[in-house]
Amino acid sequence: AISSAALSIRAEFSVQGLSNIAWAFATLAVHDLPLLDVIAAEAMRKIADSTSRPQNLSNIAWSFAMLSIQNIPLWQSISAAALLRCTQFAPQ
C-alpha cells in the first residue's frame, strides 16, 4: 500500500524524500524492486538537476547497497554528483 501510494506521486518527491523512502525500506530490509527502480530513476533525474545535499546522496547509496541492488546508472549518477560536491561532505 505504501509503495503504491509513493509510485503514484513519485514526481512530487524531492531528492530528500526519495532518500528517506529508500532508507526506510533498506532499514526494514524490504526489497520492493518496482518502487526502488522508480526511486532510482527519479533520483538520477533529480540528482542531475539539483544541488542535492551530500546526506541525501549518501542515504540513497547506503540504502541500495544494504539491499544489494546493483543499479549501475544510479551508482554513476551518485558518483558524479558526489565528485562535484566532495568539499561539502562532512564525516559523521
Side-chain angles (χ1 to χ4, degrees):
I2 293 172
S3 63
S4 297
L7 286 171
S8 67
I9 59 170
R10 66 183 175 259
E12 297 177 32
F13 285 109
S14 64
V15 176
Q16 181 176 354
L18 295 167
S19 74
N20 289 347
I21 293 170
W23 179 88
F25 275 67
T27 299
L28 296 172
V30 175
H31 289 79
D32 186 331
L33 294 180
L35 176 64
L36 293 164
D37 284 343
V38 168
I39 287 173
E42 285 294 316
M44 285 186 287
R45 188 173 65 79
K46 293 180 178 182
I47 286 170
D49 294 342
S50 71
T51 55
S52 304
R53 292 179 46 222
Q55 183 68 46
N56 298 329
L57 299 175
S58 299
N59 285 351
I60 292 171
W62 179 87
S63 299
F64 277 73
M66 290 303 294
L67 294 170
S68 299
I69 297 174
Q70 295 184 13
N71 184 316
I72 301 303
L74 176 63
W75 291 116
Q76 291 170 335
S77 179
I78 291 171
S79 296
L83 286 172
L84 292 174
R85 297 169 183 84
C86 64
T87 59
Q88 298 172 8
F89 280 78
Q92 292 188 1

